[in-house]
Amino acid sequence: MTVNTFDRYGPDVLAGSSPSSHRPKKSTPVELALGMVLEDAMSGYVGAVVGAEKTTAGVVVNLEDRAGKVRAFPLGPGFLLEGKPVDVKLPAKKKSAPGRTASGSRAVGNARARVARGSRIWVEGKHDAELVEKIWGDDLRIEGVVVEPLGGLDDVADKLAAFGPDKDHRVGVLADHLVSGTKESKIADAVRADPRYRDVVHIIGHPYVDIWQAVKPHVVGIREWPVVPRGEDWKTGILKRIGWPHADHRDVARGWVRILGKVGTIADVEPTLSGRVEELIDFVTVG
């Protein structure tokens, strides 16, 4: 992609001198990543990266603050990452293993992504969607399947009723911590019992409290995922116990970026997850 260099700050808004030094502070080039927490140096706005898009003025990065508000800023210099000036770039296109995608499927040379099918795969949250995209993104684009975050299973019945699945518009749902006796398992059982959704909706779950746990511990550099007591925020508790920063939501976002960055192929996640995802892909692409 050709990026128009729209420099709202001049050479570098963060360049300047201090009483002790006349040398300008240089911005370090960094690649854009979902979940990366950036601060716009001019306005002080802080948010996690939720996407980027090309506009008539150039490429912009969309930042979401803790209240859920999203603002767009031109890509380039003028941001702070962990308090340091950075020049944000689009990520370089990564080369996959010859003839294989990250999921281990045989790569299809010169294949174009299909127009999105009517079918969908729904996952519980943004992190789930990002992990599925990281490993199965190439396969899903070839099949024309869209992955969408639900934000939890509580509203799945209402969303299914609004979507109206049928044999040409199937829905596969990947649920967190779908174990017997939980609220989530009861919601899933109610959907499965609904005759409207027989053979057109497939809810399947993994046993992990959160999608983070589906990444193999050694990939993250730990022996095992710590146990976090009930009543304590799980992600903050995990970061605390493995010795990573855990003060607020920004540290949680950084922690996930760090974990996701270590995932390269299907071998880096537990088979309990990979098998479920591939089952859903097969379900929604039948026919």
Side-chain angles (χ1 to χ4, degrees), residues 134 212 215 219-220 225 238-239 242 244 254-263:
K134 184 77 179 280
W212 290 21
V215 177
V219 173
V220 183
W225 286 101
I238 288 293
L239 294 175
I242 64 179
W244 292 3
R254 293 185 190 108
W256 171 240
V257 169
R258 189 171 172 181
I259 293 168
L260 188 62
K262 293 178 180 294
V263 175

Side-chain angles (χ1 to χ4, degrees), residues 43-175:
S43 66
Y45 183 90
V46 177
V49 174
V50 293
E53 56 189 319
K54 192 172 185 179
T55 70
T56 54
V59 177
V60 297
V61 55
N62 297 314
L63 302 182
E64 181 182 58
D65 68 12
R66 66 184 308 169
K69 182 180 178 181
V70 177
R71 286 181 58 184
F73 298 91
L75 199 71
F79 293 103
L80 298 176
L81 176 63
E82 298 182 358
K84 297 177 182 178
V86 291
D87 183 358
V88 184
K89 310 287 187 182
L90 289 174
K93 205 165 186 180
K94 295 182 179 179
K95 295 182 179 179
S96 56
R100 295 288 173 183
T101 67
S103 72
S105 300
R106 186 175 298 279
V108 181
N110 301 318
R112 292 187 178 183
R114 292 185 183 178
V115 174
R117 295 172 178 258
S119 299
R120 295 288 185 269
I121 290 178
W122 290 348
V123 296
E124 288 214 37
K126 186 165 64 175
H127 291 180
D128 306 65
E130 289 168 357
L131 184 59
V132 170
E133 163 62 27
K134 184 77 179 280
I135 298 174
W136 290 275
D138 289 338
D139 304 33
L140 292 167
R141 279 184 285 277
I142 291 295
E143 295 291 347
V145 175
V146 176
V147 177
E148 299 173 337
L150 273 174
L153 280 189
D154 289 354
D155 299 325
V156 70
D158 291 338
K159 291 182 177 180
L160 284 170
F163 183 80
D166 57 35
K167 65 178 182 178
D168 297 317
H169 304 82
R170 298 184 175 203
V171 175
V173 183
L174 179 67

